Amino acid sequence: MKAVWYERTGPAREVLAYGEMPTPLAGPGEVRVRLEASGVNPADVGRRGGGYRPMEYPRVIPNSDGAGIIDQVGDGVTRLTIGQRIWLFNGQRNGRAFGTAAEYIALAEHLVTPLPDNLSFAEGATLGIPAMTAWCCLCCDGPIVGQTVLVTGGAGAVGHYAVQLAKWGGARVIATVSSAAKAEQARLAGADLVVNYKTDDVVAKAMAFTGQRGVDRVVDVDFGGNIATTLKLMGTNSTIAVYATNGNRTPVVPMRELMEKCIALRTLVLFALPPPLLAAAQADITKWLAAGPRIHNIAAQFALSDTAQAHLAVEKGDKLGTVIVDCAR
């Protein structure tokens, strides 16, 4: 099969190679997917660049999300069948060196979910880690119906899905953004209030929106960078769900202030969450997709041989949506 890989971390153009690799076989409990699209996440780029940890394997095929068609099933697979259109997450995680920047991938069936016929493979590849992370941030502590949710970075890959899922879940949604273009994306996703954190007073607007009560839950893209502001707009018995903290990798946690409002701090990374929670997320995302039209933002598309360019597009940091690699070309 054609694939892209790296054998050392570093700049995309220097370390990513494109060529032939053996086509994997589906082992027990696994399915093999003929990949049509691969989604590139910031974590994939960070791992390839060496910003997360040393090389875990001698050779890595990057990218963890994707979509395609099952063409082989291993012993013990009961939920999925050959010929099904699917989307997947955590392809290059949890002991798997080979991700989705390839023509094929073999992985455990619990990481694979049927893809509705009305979604393209590129749209399916935007789901994966962003949609799963958004759902887990919103719902891992119970229903959000009637709550007020603040989504920081409401136009980002995770944030945009969090806004849509929160509205579907019955919450009122505040989204913070950094530009007029991103504000429009957050509104299209259904946000009830959009605040430009560069020009507006986020605390004043959020408190006014909640009648000075504060928000019930925050889905936070940057705990360390946001905490000074976030603390001022949290309600009593609320929750901050954190999936990234790139603005400050080692923030000081203001424990006393959190305690005084009984604010729960929920930190998560998708590959470490328990399987029953992930299964609940997959089931709910399937229901959400079936319940009406959804927005799946594709920032750009590249050929498999141009995966290095796809990684550079993510590194620029100005994308709206998910960068996709077309595995079939």
Side-chain angles (χ1 to χ4, degrees):
M1 68 174 182
K2 297 290 187 183
V4 172
W5 67 84
Y6 58 94
E7 296 175 345
R8 60 185 177 90
T9 58
R13 294 192 187 282
E14 295 180 17
V15 303
L16 289 178
Y18 171 71
E20 291 284 342
M21 281 184 61
T23 302
L25 300 175
E30 292 184 336
V31 298
R32 186 175 71 184
V33 178
R34 187 177 78 244
L35 289 159
E36 297 287 338
S38 170
V40 187
N41 289 294
D44 302 318
V45 170
R47 283 169 178 259
R48 184 266 308 147
Y52 279 63
R53 61 190 71 182
M55 285 283 292
E56 298 171 280
Y57 313 98
R59 173 179 284 187
V60 172
I61 294 177
N63 305 354
S64 288
D65 293 341
I69 299 171
I70 295 173
D71 79 332
Q72 189 181 78
V73 297
D75 292 340
V77 171
T78 58
R79 189 172 58 86
L80 300 164
T81 59
I82 291 174
Q84 268 189 296
R85 304 171 79 251
I86 61 88
W87 61 273
L88 66 94
F89 69 99
N90 280 4
Q92 198 276 295
R93 296 287 192 277
N94 298 75
R96 288 178 304 281
F98 297 157
T100 60
E103 291 181 317
Y104 292 88
I105 186 173
L107 76 171
E109 68 168 330
H110 72 267
L111 299 173
V112 177
T113 309
L115 178 68
D117 289 339
N118 64 318
L119 265 67
S120 69
F121 290 114
E123 290 172 326
T126 71
L127 291 167
I129 290 174
M132 292 287 290
T133 299
W135 186 94
C136 291
C137 284
L138 289 166
C139 303
C140 60
D141 299 307
I144 57 172
V145 61
Q147 295 187 353
T148 299
V149 173
L150 169 67
V151 179
T152 64
V158 174
H160 202 249
Y161 276 136
V163 173
Q164 294 182 72
L165 285 163
K167 290 300 296 179
W168 178 72
R172 297 200 308 163
V173 181
I174 305 168
T176 63
V177 297
S178 60
S179 71
K182 291 181 178 180
E184 179 62 18
Q185 288 299 312
R187 290 189 189 96
L188 289 172
D192 299 287
L193 173 67
V194 180
V195 184
N196 186 325
Y197 65 83
K198 290 190 173 181
T199 60
D200 297 329
D201 187 329
V202 177
V203 175
K205 286 185 175 290
M207 293 304 288
F209 183 77
T210 61
Q212 304 304 314
R213 191 178 62 84
V215 304
D216 299 293
R217 175 169 290 266
V218 172
V219 177
D220 201 359
V221 68
D222 186 8
F223 176 78
N226 293 334
I227 186 60
T229 298
T230 305
L231 270 179
K232 298 174 184 176
L233 50 76
M234 300 302 297
T236 302
N237 297 307
S238 55
T239 301
I240 304 172
V242 181
Y243 66 92
T245 183
N246 291 327
N248 181 355
R249 292 289 185 91
T250 56
V252 174
V253 178
M255 191 57 65
R256 187 66 200 177
E257 290 89 337
L258 294 172
M259 291 169 62
E260 286 173 354
K261 284 188 176 181
C262 291
I263 299 170
L265 185 59
R266 159 72 72 169
T267 61
L268 61 88
V269 62
L270 199 63
F271 62 80
L273 291 173
L277 185 67
L278 297 177
Q282 288 165 280
D284 245 15
I285 290 169
T286 297
K287 293 176 185 176
W288 167 73
L289 289 172
R294 308 300 175 195
I295 302 172
H296 310 281
N297 280 338
I298 297 170
Q301 292 181 250
F302 297 89
L304 181 60
S305 58
D306 292 328
T307 297
Q309 287 182 248
H311 275 226
L312 291 173
V314 174
E315 285 182 346
K316 282 179 65 181
D318 59 355
K319 66 183 181 66
L320 279 175
T322 299
V323 172
I324 299 297
V325 170
D326 294 322
C327 301
R329 68 179 179 96

